[in-house]
Amino acid sequence: FIAALWIAGVSVGLGAYAPPVPEVFFAVSYAMLIVGIAWGVAFFLTSGFLRLQKWSVKKTYRGWVTGVTSVVVALGVFFIIEVHSIQDGRELLKLNGILIPANDPDPPGPCDKYPARQGALKVYLGGVNVVGYGTMIRVIELLHPPSDTDPVLLGISRASDGSAALHAHATGKHGEVVADIDRNYFRIRRNSLFDPLSAPRPDKSTIRLTDDDGNELTVRFMNSRSISFSGKLYLNDRTFVQIDEKGIWVHPKGFGISPGHCLLLSNPNGAGAIGIE
């Protein structure tokens, strides 16, 4: 019965990996596993076998109690950890949530020759780096946007705790919204993705998408002050910004910033890096 309870608990956790199964099933899974641990320990401590050991050498009795109890608890905890990893996997399938900063070191880049002052916000854009000290860095913005359009396609601002807060609006070639990120809260449109079964996040600090035209978009919240971004940002069905190891280029207009450049922005009221007509 105890083994069956553990198997059932893990099975419920596996079944709750993906919608439409409610997430509350994870709580059921944990409860079954915890009951299995408690039942297993209690069963052994009250067993006839252990009662017989009481009349043997005390050291042997204590060894049985400690050894078997430890094995039962360790096995149950192992199953709980496995179910928790399944729950984390479901979390990465969600199409909305919060980007959490990782603990990555800043990679080498062209801004290394300018020692960053305290409070710097850094954006790694393929082969181009942007370092800002103001409240807002408008990395890519439309200079004359339509009245109903957010002019900032990609920006980074300072959150209340001083850390970086990302803002991005990514659309596909045909104007469909692929992803919106506002102060690290993201919302992804699954029907704009090429592979509907893949997790949009390999971890809680990264978004990696491929739209139905094969265009890739990658966002990595490297640490509390640094963010990397690469991919395509469409302005319309003809014009887009390509960000990769070749720099930042506006197509088909053919202007941009070649790799190896460092943009230092210090306007306290918000600085613009790249403006597009």
Side-chain angles (χ1 to χ4, degrees), residues 205-225:
S205 304
T206 307
I207 294 176
R208 187 173 295 140
L209 305 174
T210 303
D211 68 16
D212 51 11
D213 288 310
N215 302 312
E216 295 185 353
L217 177 72
T218 302
V219 179
R220 173 72 175 169
F221 201 165
M222 297 186 293
N223 55 62
S224 63
R225 296 285 197 278

Side-chain angles (χ1 to χ4, degrees), residues 28-277:
V28 175
S29 175
Y30 292 133
M32 296 172 76
L33 294 173
I34 291 171
V35 169
I37 293 173
W39 191 357
V41 171
F43 177 81
F44 178 71
L45 293 179
T46 58
S47 66
F49 171 81
L50 193 60
R51 283 197 298 270
L52 290 175
Q53 300 306 313
K54 279 188 176 182
W55 306 106
S56 62
V57 181
K58 286 187 177 181
K59 186 175 181 180
T60 303
Y61 172 76
R62 288 196 299 268
W64 277 108
V65 171
T66 303
V68 174
T69 300
S70 298
V71 169
V72 171
V73 172
L75 194 58
V77 169
F78 170 77
F79 290 140
I80 289 173
I81 292 173
E82 289 299 303
V83 171
H84 188 265
S85 68
I86 295 169
Q87 188 174 13
D88 279 345
R90 172 164 175 151
E91 181 72 21
L92 298 180
L93 288 172
K94 287 185 176 179
L95 303 183
N96 59 76
I98 295 289
L99 275 172
I100 298 173
N103 198 26
D104 300 346
D106 289 343
C111 288
D112 292 350
K113 55 188 174 183
Y114 307 105
R117 303 195 307 268
Q118 185 176 4
L121 299 177
K122 302 178 182 179
V123 190
Y124 292 81
L125 303 166
V128 177
N129 286 179
V130 177
V131 178
Y133 296 96
T135 56
M136 176 69 179
I137 305 172
R138 296 185 295 275
V139 181
I140 299 175
E141 65 177 336
L142 300 175
L143 298 180
H144 304 291
S147 57
D148 59 345
T149 302
D150 186 345
V152 180
L153 295 182
L154 177 63
I156 180 172
S157 62
R158 196 176 302 279
S160 57
D161 62 356
S163 64
L166 180 67
H167 173 94
H169 180 71
T171 60
K173 182 177 180 180
H174 308 292
E176 72 280 9
V177 176
V178 175
D180 269 317
I181 307 171
D182 186 16
R183 300 186 68 82
N184 301 336
Y185 179 84
F186 67 88
R187 185 175 296 277
I188 299 168
R189 308 298 172 91
R190 175 65 82 188
N191 60 359
S192 300
L193 302 183
F194 179 73
D195 182 2
L197 299 178
S198 64
R201 290 186 292 167
D203 55 59
K204 294 182 180 180
S205 304
T206 307
I207 294 176
R208 187 173 295 140
L209 305 174
T210 303
D211 68 16
D212 51 11
D213 288 310
N215 302 312
E216 295 185 353
L217 177 72
T218 302
V219 179
R220 173 72 175 169
F221 201 165
M222 297 186 293
N223 55 62
S224 63
R225 296 285 197 278
S226 302
I227 290 173
S228 67
F229 188 99
S230 63
K232 281 185 179 180
L233 292 173
Y234 276 91
L235 284 70
N236 51 54
D237 59 352
R238 298 179 305 279
T239 307
F240 64 89
V241 181
Q242 179 74 51
I243 302 171
D244 56 26
E245 69 280 356
K246 297 178 182 179
I248 306 171
W249 296 95
V250 180
H251 299 274
K253 297 182 179 182
F255 66 86
I257 303 174
S258 57
H261 280 81
C262 172
L263 305 181
L264 298 175
L265 308 174
S266 58
N267 185 347
N269 297 318
I274 303 165
I276 301 173
E277 294 284 352

